[in-house]
């Protein structure tokens, strides 16, 4: 059957296709789990610590960011996400054990049951989380957003990826990788924060994703196959619904101006000058 020449939202090929959907599971008063939201349907486990502000509604005079909040974003990247909010007063070692158990209970939705990553957006708990992770071999890497992390134990061998404002201080840990950004606050990565900076947030997310893939062994996707499928539905099958089904819930494109260069032959009489 040939591709349609005009868009007809009522045609069989344009019926909405559901995106991956897995409801959040409430484990306890302090802990919840979001299964992966990729079509792959399974992935490595993450435990993330969120500040209370992650649930705030952006100011009315500020355009709503296109980026989702961290839980949804990591789930769309293919991770199984256990998360807590505002965890300053929680017993971190017990919380790690509870989170590991909740992730393991996902069964086939979890790729590995003895290797998890940690992402800390709540600066107040970075020190206690880092110490607890050092004593639990199931959590083998940590990412932290901080204004200046200086007190982590330098003797720890847990791989640490640290994101800070340019004014932030480096960790003393020999296993730490440090990146700084032209931002005012470590909350620059949270879309609900007034300090959100999309450019720096995207760069930090990309670096974090590479870091986690290196230490957790995934998730890995066949990007060429995904792109070919997307292009087929858009340009050959010409189905809006099927094209949208290859993307995330809120897809967007970063438009980057392209600089083109041409080679010009020297004008007569200028050769050799």
């Amino acid at each position: 059957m040939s591709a349609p020449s005009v868009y007809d939202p009522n045609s069989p090929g344009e019926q909405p296709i559901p995106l991956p959907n897995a409801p959040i599971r409430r484990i306890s008063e302090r802990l919840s789990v979001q299964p992966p939201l990729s079509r792959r349907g399974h992935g490595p486990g993450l435990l993330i610590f969120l500040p209370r502000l992650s649930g705030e509604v952006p100011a009315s005079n500020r355009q709503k960011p296109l980026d989702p909040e961290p839980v949804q974003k990591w789930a769309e990247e293919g991770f199984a996400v256990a998360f807590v909010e505002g965890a300053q007063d929680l017993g971190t070692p017990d919380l790690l054990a509870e989170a590991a158990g909740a992730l393991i209970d996902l069964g086939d939705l979890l790729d590995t049951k003895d290797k998890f990553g940690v992402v800390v957006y709540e600066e107040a708990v970075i020190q206690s989380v880092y110490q607890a992770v050092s004593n639990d071999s199931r959590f083998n890497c940590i990412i932290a957003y901080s204004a200046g992390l200086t007190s982590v134990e330098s003797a720890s061998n847990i791989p640490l990826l640290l994101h800070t404002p340019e004014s932030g201080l480096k960790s003393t840990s020999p296993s730490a990788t440090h990146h700084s950004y032209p931002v005012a606050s470590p909350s620059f990565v949270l879309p609900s924060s007034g300090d959100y900076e999309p450019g720096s947030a995207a760069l930090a997310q990309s670096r974090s994703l590479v870091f986690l893939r290196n230490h957790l062994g995934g998730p890995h996707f066949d990007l060429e196959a995904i792109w070919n499928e997307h292009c087929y539905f858009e340009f050959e099958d010409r189905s809006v619904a099927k094209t949208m089904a290859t993307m995330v819930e809120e897809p967007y494109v970063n438009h980057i101006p392209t600089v083109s260069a041409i080679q010009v032959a020297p004008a007569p009489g200028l050769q050799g000058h």
Side-chain angles (χ1 to χ4, degrees), residues 23 47 63 65 132 151 163 220 256:
L47 170 59
Q63 184 177 1
S151 57
H163 301 291
H220 295 287
I256 302 174

Side-chain angles (χ1 to χ4, degrees), residues 105 194 244:
D105 286 344
M244 296 301 294

Side-chain angles (χ1 to χ4, degrees), residues 80-162:
V81 183
F83 64 97
V84 294
E85 290 185 300
Q88 294 95 324
D89 299 324
L90 300 181
T92 304
D94 291 342
L95 182 57
L96 292 184
E98 184 181 2
L103 289 169
I104 291 171
D105 286 344
L106 291 175
D108 292 341
L109 302 183
L110 185 70
D111 283 352
T112 55
K113 296 177 172 53
D114 59 352
K115 188 162 55 175
F116 309 114
V118 177
V119 185
V120 185
Y121 299 95
E122 172 55 85
E123 186 166 18
V125 303
I126 291 177
Q127 173 66 17
S128 58
V129 169
Y130 195 80
Q131 291 176 341
V133 166
S134 299
N135 296 318
D136 191 329
S137 60
R138 294 172 297 181
F139 294 87
N140 71 342
C141 62
I142 182 170
I143 298 169
Y145 290 83
S146 171
L149 183 61
T150 60
S151 57
V152 296
E153 296 182 21
S154 59
S156 176
N157 293 319
I158 300 296
L160 169 68
L161 178 61
L162 181 63

Side-chain angles (χ1 to χ4, degrees), residues 211-255:
F211 178 81
L212 290 173
R213 283 175 176 163
N214 288 339
H215 292 288
L216 300 182
H220 295 287
F221 298 93
D222 187 341
L223 297 181
E224 183 177 0
I226 294 172
W227 178 245
N228 287 340
E229 179 189 49
H230 175 90
C231 290
Y232 170 79
F233 287 136
E234 182 172 2
F235 299 111
E236 293 189 43
D237 195 52
R238 300 183 70 179
S239 168
V240 174
K242 294 176 183 177
T243 301
M244 296 301 294
T246 66
M247 297 184 281
V248 295
E249 182 178 341
E250 294 286 347
Y252 62 92
V253 175
N254 287 322
H255 179 256

Side-chain angles (χ1 to χ4, degrees), residues 3-9 11 14 237-240:
S5 57
V6 296
Y7 172 63
D8 179 5
S11 69
E14 291 297 350
D237 195 52
R238 300 183 70 179
S239 168
V240 174

Side-chain angles (χ1 to χ4, degrees), residues 16-221:
I17 300 175
L19 292 171
N21 180 30
I24 291 175
R25 304 181 184 184
R26 185 75 168 178
I27 305 302
S28 66
E29 184 178 348
R30 63 181 181 176
L31 180 71
S32 300
V33 171
Q34 170 64 71
L37 292 174
S38 65
R39 287 191 294 167
R40 184 171 180 259
H42 58 90
L46 275 185
L47 170 59
I48 66 177
F49 291 82
L50 297 165
R52 291 292 182 190
L53 63 79
S54 64
E56 291 179 359
V57 177
S60 58
N61 61 347
R62 186 164 67 93
Q63 184 177 1
K64 181 181 181 297
L66 294 171
D67 257 350
E69 292 297 321
V71 172
Q72 181 179 340
K73 192 172 186 68
W74 284 117
E76 289 178 344
E77 296 280 14
F79 292 88
V81 183
F83 64 97
V84 294
E85 290 185 300
Q88 294 95 324
D89 299 324
L90 300 181
T92 304
D94 291 342
L95 182 57
L96 292 184
E98 184 181 2
L103 289 169
I104 291 171
D105 286 344
L106 291 175
D108 292 341
L109 302 183
L110 185 70
D111 283 352
T112 55
K113 296 177 172 53
D114 59 352
K115 188 162 55 175
F116 309 114
V118 177
V119 185
V120 185
Y121 299 95
E122 172 55 85
E123 186 166 18
V125 303
I126 291 177
Q127 173 66 17
S128 58
V129 169
Y130 195 80
Q131 291 176 341
V133 166
S134 299
N135 296 318
D136 191 329
S137 60
R138 294 172 297 181
F139 294 87
N140 71 342
C141 62
I142 182 170
I143 298 169
Y145 290 83
S146 171
L149 183 61
T150 60
S151 57
V152 296
E153 296 182 21
S154 59
S156 176
N157 293 319
I158 300 296
L160 169 68
L161 178 61
L162 181 63
H163 301 291
T164 72
E166 287 181 336
S167 59
L169 300 176
K170 291 185 178 181
S171 166
T172 58
S173 171
S175 58
T177 300
H178 176 253
H179 295 291
S180 61
Y181 305 85
V183 297
S185 163
S187 296
F188 72 91
V189 75
L190 300 172
S192 58
S193 169
D195 295 317
Y196 175 67
E197 292 288 346
S200 294
L203 180 56
Q205 177 73 11
S206 295
R207 288 167 168 167
S208 296
L209 187 57
V210 171
F211 178 81
L212 290 173
R213 283 175 176 163
N214 288 339
H215 292 288
L216 300 182
H220 295 287
F221 298 93

